[in-house]
Amino acid sequence: MNAVRSAMAAPSFTTWVSVVLMLLLFIAGATSYTGFGSTQVVLNLLIDNAFLLVIAVGMSFVILSGGIDLSVGSVLALTTMVAAWLLQVAQWPAELVIVVVLLGGAAFGALQGLVIHVFKLQAFIVTLAGMFLARGLCFLISVDSITIDAPLFVTLSQTQIPLPFGDAFLSPGAVIALLTLGAGLWVAHCTAFGRTVYALGGSETSALMMGLAVGRTKVAVYGLSGFCASLAGLLFAFYMLSGYGQHAQGVELDAIAAVVIGGTVLTGGYGYVAGALSGVLVLGLIQTLIAFDGTLSSWWTKIVIGALLFVFCAVQRLLSLKKTQG
């Protein structure tokens, strides 16, 4: 009994809960539906949600620092629109377009971080304004969808990277997402910047007293989130081969849900970037289970995700209160 209580009191409790939940969902699907447990179905979770994993990595750093970024879905859509317009209308080389949109996303995020720090504004308000701004810029470029037929984008969309077992494969987007996750893990846990992010989320006042570069870190965190959102936009453009202002509606909330379900505390200061993967896979498994069932509306995905997010937030709050009282 004492061991169970100690495990529940540990900060990593919700992280392990998300991993167990992921395994239970997979087992439930594999035992209920033919073909659900195949290797390719599992890999398709990564292929279909590669863009969400990249956004969730950036969002992990923002939430760990004690902030929030509501603009990532709109930045993703804006990236697809800018990339499509530059490729199809301006006829820019694909390689140059990729560099420009990635730098643009990072600059957009860094600008939000600068406004938050300099003017001491709530991240919720600033990034909400950023969300409306980026979404509006999409429709300033075009109110219609722009099809992408650039050879590099088409090749990346159609390429299948074979794996050494069976006929399984991954897409280039999924590989990029996993590399982004690996880079995020290294930055968060093996660099001074990562340690400063955790310190900032734990207590900004304490971080200032320790002489840490709070302002520079805050700007860098939002710049990183903007970069990840733009990278996710490129992956989405590879996946859809189009740019459209309506792309990724509500993705910012899916990313927040994935990060929280993955065990990162919403108030900042504690969590694992690796939890973004388990959180994204949980969301993907829920969508896949509903798709395999065939009788449930797709809106059940939102209902289940909302319920899970509520439960995880409540559990995190209860654990923090118990730790404080103890």
Side-chain angles (χ1 to χ4, degrees):
M1 184 63 69
N2 290 333
V4 173
R5 289 177 179 175
S6 298
M8 292 182 65
S12 60
F13 175 70
T14 53
T15 302
W16 287 110
V17 168
S18 72
V19 174
V20 172
L21 178 61
M22 178 181 66
L23 294 174
L24 290 176
L25 287 171
F26 179 75
I27 292 170
T31 55
S32 301
Y33 305 109
T34 303
F36 188 96
S38 67
T39 303
Q40 193 55 53
V41 169
V42 175
L43 294 175
N44 284 344
L45 293 175
L46 279 173
I47 294 172
D48 295 338
N49 295 285
F51 70 95
L52 182 58
L53 177 56
V54 171
I55 286 184
V57 170
M59 187 68 74
S60 295
F61 281 90
V62 173
I63 293 179
L64 284 170
S65 72
I68 201 77
D69 190 352
L70 299 179
S71 69
V72 290
S74 298
V75 172
L76 184 157
L78 180 59
T79 298
T80 67
M81 286 298 293
V82 171
W85 190 88
L86 290 176
L87 288 166
Q88 304 301 123
V89 180
Q91 297 293 310
W92 282 25
E95 295 81 2
L96 180 58
V97 170
I98 290 172
V99 173
V100 167
V101 295
L102 288 176
L103 292 176
F108 189 92
L111 179 60
Q112 291 185 121
L114 186 64
V115 171
I116 290 168
H117 176 67
V118 172
F119 295 98
K120 309 300 180 185
L121 295 173
Q122 292 291 329
F124 177 89
I125 299 300
V126 175
T127 58
L128 181 65
M131 178 182 75
F132 288 127
L133 175 61
R135 190 70 68 174
L137 288 173
C138 291
F139 295 102
L140 192 63
I141 297 171
S142 175
V143 296
D144 300 316
S145 175
I146 302 176
T147 301
I148 297 174
D149 60 11
L152 177 60
F153 278 61
V154 173
T155 300
L156 289 172
S157 175
Q158 297 176 349
T159 297
Q160 295 180 349
I161 301 173
L163 298 179
F165 43 87
D167 297 325
F169 64 89
L170 279 175
S171 67
V175 173
I176 292 171
L178 290 174
L179 291 174
T180 303
L181 176 66
L185 286 169
W186 178 78
V187 170
H189 304 294
C190 301
T191 67
F193 172 74
R195 291 189 288 273
T196 304
V197 169
Y198 277 93
L200 179 60
S203 172
E204 183 171 338
T205 302
S206 298
L208 283 168
M209 294 177 65
M210 288 188 290
L212 299 177
V214 169
R216 189 165 63 228
T217 302
K218 195 174 292 187
V219 172
V221 162
Y222 284 92
L224 176 60
S225 180
F227 175 85
C228 287
S230 285
L231 179 57
L234 286 172
L235 300 187
F236 203 84
F238 299 156
Y239 189 76
M240 301 293 291
L241 287 179
S242 68
Y244 188 37
Q246 295 284 3
H247 280 333
Q249 291 277 4
V251 160
E252 57 278 345
L253 302 182
D254 289 338
I256 294 170
V259 172
V260 174
I261 290 172
T264 298
V265 178
L266 195 56
T267 53
Y270 183 83
Y272 304 102
V273 175
L277 177 60
S278 61
V280 167
L281 290 179
V282 166
L283 301 191
L285 281 167
I286 292 170
Q287 294 172 337
T288 305
L289 281 169
I290 290 173
F292 265 77
D293 181 87
T295 62
L296 296 174
S297 166
S298 60
W299 286 107
W300 274 101
T301 302
K302 300 296 183 183
I303 294 170
V304 175
I305 291 172
L308 278 177
L309 183 58
F310 174 81
V311 170
F312 271 78
C313 287
V315 170
Q316 287 180 358
R317 181 59 178 167
L318 289 173
L319 290 177
S320 65
L321 287 175
K322 185 175 180 180
K323 184 178 179 181
T324 303
Q325 292 172 357

